[in-house]
Amino acid sequence: MRLAGEAWKAYARNFERSAFRLEVQPTYTMPAEQDGVRRFLAGEPVPEGHNSEWHATVRANIAAGKTMQRVRVVRRPLTDYQHYGFAWSVPGNVAAGEDIRILDLTGSPLPSLPTFDFWLYDEKTVARLDYHMDGTQIGRELVEDADLTQYLEWRDYALKHSVPFLEYSN
């Protein structure tokens, strides 16, 4: 089932216990972020309220006793998008309560992980995110009859071999 609009946003608000995202793309060319990336590359400061809607979602989930985790796979040299995210987006997400970790695979193959992004909600619902090579999102869909064991193994591997963002960025 394809997900868009409010139906998609509801997953980030309505899970019961846990949300985990694996990010493996080196660049995301999301239309809503392009102005921010351009401004970051021009050396402008982070605008007040940047990513505030997501921060409110994270804070509400954390206040409700839920966990939100994300593992970002990177290889050096970092892309412009990764520099932008690490400077403008990730610090605010972490401050809001999201556990963001970095898995640096510089010089290594992508071991035991898929080549696509996904969200895993409550260890029972999988939403796969598909992208073109340039980072443009093709779509989001619920994975019907997902092999949850495989997704749980990917999550556990990524968490075990990654480091917290604040440790990576220092």
Side-chain angles (χ1 to χ4, degrees):
M1 174 171 79
R2 289 284 194 198
L3 298 168
E6 274 307 308
W8 169 243
K9 290 180 182 181
Y11 278 91
R13 293 188 305 264
N14 298 336
F15 62 93
E16 296 172 7
R17 295 175 316 281
S18 64
F20 170 83
R21 176 157 180 197
L22 180 68
E23 295 181 324
V24 300
Q25 308 305 314
T27 297
Y28 296 91
T29 53
M30 305 300 289
E33 292 181 323
Q34 294 311 295
D35 184 56
V37 172
R38 181 193 57 73
R39 292 172 64 191
F40 165 77
L41 293 173
E44 294 182 26
V46 180
E48 189 170 327
H50 177 74
N51 221 11
S52 60
E53 183 179 337
W54 180 250
H55 297 163
T57 298
V58 171
R59 282 192 297 275
N61 284 324
I62 301 306
K66 302 174 188 180
T67 61
M68 296 186 76
Q69 297 177 300
R70 182 185 310 239
V71 173
R72 181 81 165 101
V73 176
V74 300
R75 286 190 173 85
R76 284 182 252 136
L78 298 179
T79 65
D80 287 344
Y81 182 86
Q82 289 166 335
H83 284 293
Y84 155 77
F86 286 5
W88 277 31
S89 298
V90 176
N93 295 359
V94 170
E98 190 174 1
D99 174 19
I100 298 181
R101 304 177 64 81
I102 307 301
L103 176 54
D104 191 331
L105 295 177
T106 302
S108 301
L110 189 62
S112 301
L113 294 173
T115 57
F116 55 86
D117 290 20
F118 67 87
W119 277 99
L120 174 63
Y121 297 103
D122 298 322
E123 299 185 342
K124 64 181 181 182
T125 303
V126 176
R128 179 176 167 154
L129 292 77
D130 293 309
Y131 296 87
H132 286 293
M133 292 296 290
D134 70 354
T136 303
Q137 191 171 66
I138 299 168
R140 300 175 291 253
E141 63 182 305
L142 287 182
V143 180
E144 306 292 336
D145 300 320
D147 177 0
L148 290 176
T149 301
Q150 180 64 76
Y151 285 91
L152 293 167
E153 287 174 4
W154 286 333
R155 180 205 59 194
D156 293 348
Y157 181 92
L159 289 170
K160 179 179 179 182
H161 296 284
S162 60
V163 298
F165 171 74
L166 295 176
E167 181 180 322
Y168 182 82
S169 63
N170 287 333

